[in-house]
């Protein structure tokens, strides 16, 4: 038996990925930017075992459901092909955040799974190649492999669609203060959401402007220019949600509390607090702010009715092997 354990952080996208040019290879229609979230992580052990007759999966100490197992087994098939190997694996994955908390775990899950699976087989891939394989499990997982502030280049084929660090973890002291407003599972996950993106008339416009927004957001991060950062990050999140709301069928992820928080954030910014919002495919609000304003943002969020919890995360490192 050959085994390894890897740990990965989820990430929050500042310029979003929404829609694939190739569903099987998960080649996105546009490049994206993100930051890893240090206080949240998934730890996954992969054990390749020639005596096993199928793959198995435990999540947070419980046998995973069939849908989750099939998705993981499919990802392991892709990895087995690269390794030219036929052994099955026992996979055990644990999140330090509750699965039902509405914090997406697929990015950290597939980043940790990919890195642990290759390491367990004693095959050392470059970071770049690891990002391409993580991408096959969940697009955003590619961005959880490198450290800090990361760009995922859309690319044109499996090899050219990869992610890389563009600013180190300690480059800029910003914090993600996540307001949890709903703990239930979403009705439409991102896998199906990506498929419906092209049914919105607005998707073409969103994609057409993505390269300019990447440029502007990257520059704002490199210059630590919060005003420029806030403008492009909120605009990009609004654009993605406009596409979701105008897709067929329409996807509405916002709850009344989501809108209340977005309104408050604009007011707080007017009042001099350096904070802006961004939302993934769910109602929780990621409030990105400079470190010195994190505590006041957290306190203010806790006082809003409908906010169930607040989780704080600073820029995080990449996926690491913790035992082998
Ligand atoms: O990697 P997926 O399939 O879970 O897609 C992620 C989609 C968003 O979170 C909405 C945006 C992003 O870029 O992370």
């Amino acid at each position: 038996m050959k085994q390894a354990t890897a740990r990965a952080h989820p990430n929050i996208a500042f310029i979003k990925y929404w829609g694939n040019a190739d569903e099987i290879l998960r080649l996105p229609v546009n490049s994206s930017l993100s930051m890893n979230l240090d206080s949240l992580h998934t730890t996954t052990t992969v054990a390749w075992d020639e005596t096993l007759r199928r793959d198995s999966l435990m999540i947070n100490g419980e046998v995973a459901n069939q849908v989750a197992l099939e998705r993981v087994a499919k990802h392991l098939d892709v990895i087995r092909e690269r390794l030219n190997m036929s052994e099955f694996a026992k996979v055990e994955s644990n999140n330090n955040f509750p699965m039902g908390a509405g914090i997406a775990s697929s990015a950290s899950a597939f980043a940790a799974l990919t890195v642990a699976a290759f390491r367990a087989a004693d095959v050392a891939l470059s970071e770049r190649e690891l990002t391409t394989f993580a991408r096959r499990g969940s697009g955003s997982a590619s961005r959880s492999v490198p450290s800090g502030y990361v760009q995922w280049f859309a690319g044109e084929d499996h090899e050219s669609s990869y992610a890389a660090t563009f600013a180190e973890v300690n480059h800029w002291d910003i914090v993600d203060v996540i307001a949890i407003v709903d703990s239930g599972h979403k009705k439409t996950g991102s896998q199906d959401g990506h498929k419906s993106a092209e049914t919105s008339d607005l998707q073409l416009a969103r994609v057409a402007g993505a390269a300019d927004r990447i440029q502007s957001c990257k520059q704002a991060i490199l210059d630590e220019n919060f005003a420029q950062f806030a403008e492009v990050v909120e605009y990009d999140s609004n654009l993605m949600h406009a596409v979701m709301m105008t897709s067929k069928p329409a996807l509405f992820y916002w709850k009344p509390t989501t809108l209340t928080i977005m309104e408050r954030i604009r007011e707080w910014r007017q009042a001099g607090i350096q904070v802006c919002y961004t939302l993934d495919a769910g109602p929780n609000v990621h409030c990105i702010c400079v470190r010195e304003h994190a505590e006041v943002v957290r306190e203010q969020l806790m006082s809003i009715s409908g906010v169930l919890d607040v989780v704080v995360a600073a820029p995080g490192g990449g996926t690491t092997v913790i035992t082998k």
Side-chain angles (χ1 to χ4, degrees), residues 57-65 68 72 91-95 99:
L57 174 65
M58 302 269 286
I59 301 179
N60 295 340
E62 288 180 18
V63 176
N65 65 38
V72 163
V91 179
E92 283 179 20
S93 194
N94 291 293
N95 297 316
M99 292 256 288

Side-chain angles (χ1 to χ4, degrees), residues 211-222:
D212 285 349
R213 291 192 302 281
I214 292 254
Q215 198 44 43
S216 168
C217 185
K218 210 168 159 179
Q219 203 56 52
I221 292 170
L222 294 173

Side-chain angles (χ1 to χ4, degrees), residues 11-20 26 30-34 71 104-107 110 134-135 137-143 152 186 189-192 194 206 236 240-241 244 253 279-282:
N11 64 76
I12 178 66
F14 298 143
I15 302 298
K16 309 290 187 186
Y17 148 54
W18 195 245
N20 287 316
R26 286 188 211 272
N30 63 277
S31 299
S32 52
L33 290 187
S34 63
R71 192 166 167 190
S105 57
S106 67
F110 283 97
R135 188 199 76 235
S138 178
S140 57
S142 63
R143 297 188 311 239
W152 169 17
K186 30 189 179 189
S190 49
Q191 292 225 90
D192 292 327
H194 290 298
R206 190 192 73 82
D236 190 83
M240 180 180 74
H241 282 269
M244 292 163 162
Y253 287 110
L279 285 89
D280 282 341

Side-chain angles (χ1 to χ4, degrees), residues 174-318:
I174 57 173
V175 177
D176 183 3
V177 184
I178 311 164
I180 313 288
V181 305
D182 189 270
S183 58
H185 278 285
K186 30 189 179 189
K187 281 193 237 48
T188 308
S190 49
Q191 292 225 90
D192 292 327
H194 290 298
K195 290 184 192 138
S196 71
E198 63 179 20
T199 64
S200 164
D201 292 328
L202 305 182
Q203 172 74 339
L204 272 181
R206 190 192 73 82
V207 173
D212 285 349
R213 291 192 302 281
I214 292 254
Q215 198 44 43
S216 168
C217 185
K218 210 168 159 179
Q219 203 56 52
I221 292 170
L222 294 173
D223 295 346
E224 301 175 41
N225 179 339
F226 197 87
Q228 184 179 328
F229 175 79
E231 191 180 320
V232 69
V233 167
E234 287 190 359
Y235 182 65
D236 190 83
S237 174
N238 293 345
L239 261 181
M240 180 180 74
H241 282 269
V243 167
M244 292 163 162
M245 290 174 197
T246 50
S247 292
K248 298 164 194 95
L251 296 173
F252 287 90
Y253 287 110
W254 298 353
K255 301 272 179 207
T257 311
T258 310
L259 277 165
T260 303
I261 298 170
M262 290 160 79
E263 192 176 24
R264 290 288 169 78
I265 287 180
R266 287 189 291 264
E267 288 165 10
W268 298 339
R269 199 158 64 243
Q270 285 277 313
I273 296 179
Q274 296 202 310
V275 59
C276 67
Y277 64 76
T278 184
L279 285 89
D280 282 341
N284 298 327
V285 187
H286 292 256
C287 309
I288 316 293
C289 61
V290 297
R291 162 84 64 183
E292 55 177 312
H293 294 157
E295 190 47 30
V296 62
V297 168
R298 198 186 66 82
E299 277 167 17
Q300 295 285 341
L301 287 170
M302 288 300 279
S303 72
I304 296 174
S305 139
V307 172
L308 307 176
D309 197 6
V310 178
V311 175
V312 180

